[in-house]
């Protein structure tokens, strides 16, 4: 395992323009982000090695990068099977997207080529064969392959994709809801699900939502295989993919009778 990458837990603080980590051998402190166009924060946590570190408390976290407030890093991802894999952060502010890469010794800023704030990303592999998929506002999907970023054909311009997950490079799901800050005249669409088969993103119509009233915000998707995935969203919504169809699951329980939004899974 390379120096500075041992048992690390990465996170950042909302609206603070900061990135932090905790671990037995954390990265050097005081790495400023002032050189970047915008600074961002994160609410996601990712281990940087295949050895899962103990869950860190706020007291364990050490500030390693700070900058100007006003933006948000909304997700963190790294290939936990490799100790030398880079750590990726995505987010943005206003109409600008931002992707940062931590190599283990230095920061790099990337232009994903989509021009809108990104909400989530997922990757496969590391190094020359790595692939990253990032999704966000205005239905955008950014793709990194062979070391280069490009915009993919995404979803409706009135949708924000809040989550993306895949069992492999040719089996991904992107989920979203209405883009509340869409420009005037843009049709805001909720309950949007796209599937990627390795060649193109295609919309999946959710007949299961036909009898669910209200506007559907789908916040996150996660799974373990091609035939097992979960989507969660507003109004206590939970959908299960069994490899053939999406089916609604009950989230009501004695301890939580209110249909509160399910923000993550």
């Amino acid at each position: 395992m390379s120096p500075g990458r041992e048992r690390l837990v990465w996170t950042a603080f909302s609206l603070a323009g900061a990135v932090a980590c905790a671990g037995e051998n954390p990265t050097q402190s005081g790495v400023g982000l002032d050189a970047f166009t915008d600074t961002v924060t994160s609410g996601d946590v990712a281990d940087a090695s295949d050895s899962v570190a103990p869950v860190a408390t706020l007291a364990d976290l050490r500030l390693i990068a700070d900058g100007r407030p006003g933006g948000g890093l909304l997700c963190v991802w790294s290939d936990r099977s490799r100790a030398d894999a880079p750590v990726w952060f995505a987010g943005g502010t206003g109409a600008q997207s931002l992707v940062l890469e931590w190599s283990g010794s230095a920061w790099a800023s990337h232009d994903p080529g989509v021009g809108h704030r990104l909400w989530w990303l997922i990757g496969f592999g590391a190094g020359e064969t790595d692939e990253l998929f990032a999704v966000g506002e205005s239905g955008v999907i950014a793709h990194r392959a062979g070391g280069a970023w490009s915009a993919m054909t995404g979803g409706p311009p009135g949708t924000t994709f809040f989550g993306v997950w895949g069992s492999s490079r040719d089996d991904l799901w992107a989920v979203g809801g209405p883009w509340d800050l869409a420009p005037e005249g843009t049709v805001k669409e909720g309950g949007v699900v796209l599937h990627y088969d390795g060649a193109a993103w295609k919309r999946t119509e959710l007949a299961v939502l036909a009898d669910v009233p209200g506007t559907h915000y789908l916040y996150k998707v996660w799974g373990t295989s091609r035939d097992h995935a979960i989507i969660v969203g507003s109004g206590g919504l939970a959908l299960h993919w069994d490899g053939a169809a999406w089916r609604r699951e009950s989230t009501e329980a004695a301890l939580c009778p209110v249909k509160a939004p399910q923000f993550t899974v």
Side-chain angles (χ1 to χ4, degrees), residues 5-206:
R5 305 302 299 275
E6 300 161 11
R7 299 169 65 85
L8 294 183
V9 176
W10 290 82
T11 188
F13 302 99
S14 177
L15 303 180
V19 178
C21 77
E24 294 177 352
N25 188 8
T27 55
Q28 68 186 81
S29 61
V31 182
L33 296 182
D34 287 338
F36 299 125
T37 302
D38 298 293
T39 58
V40 291
T41 61
S42 171
D44 191 28
V45 178
D47 296 320
S49 76
D50 55 353
S51 298
V52 179
V55 175
T57 66
L58 289 178
D60 297 323
L61 294 173
R62 291 179 57 183
L63 183 68
I64 67 164
D66 61 359
R68 303 182 306 274
L73 277 175
L74 300 172
C75 58
V76 181
W77 182 85
S78 183
D79 181 0
R80 294 189 291 176
S81 68
R82 295 185 52 173
D84 61 347
V87 183
W88 293 91
F89 301 79
T93 181
Q96 298 298 318
S97 54
L98 180 63
V99 175
L100 303 181
E101 175 190 7
W102 173 251
S103 67
S105 60
W107 290 96
S109 179
H110 295 260
D111 178 6
V114 292
H116 289 279
R117 179 164 33 209
L118 299 171
W119 278 77
W120 216 249
L121 85 164
I122 188 174
F124 301 92
E128 295 181 356
T129 61
D130 74 337
E131 278 194 78
L132 294 171
F133 297 84
V135 301
E137 295 173 354
S138 192
V140 300
I141 301 177
H143 180 221
R144 175 181 167 87
W149 286 93
S150 62
M152 306 185 82
T153 300
T159 294
T160 292
F161 285 121
F162 297 106
V164 61
W165 173 86
S167 66
S168 67
R169 303 168 193 248
D170 61 357
D171 177 44
L172 287 95
W173 297 95
V175 301
W179 182 20
D180 290 333
L181 299 179
E184 185 177 353
T186 302
V187 178
K188 301 177 183 179
E189 294 191 51
V192 178
V193 174
L194 299 187
H195 181 258
Y196 183 67
D197 60 6
W201 290 92
K202 299 177 182 178
R203 186 161 181 174
T204 298
E205 298 298 334
L206 297 180

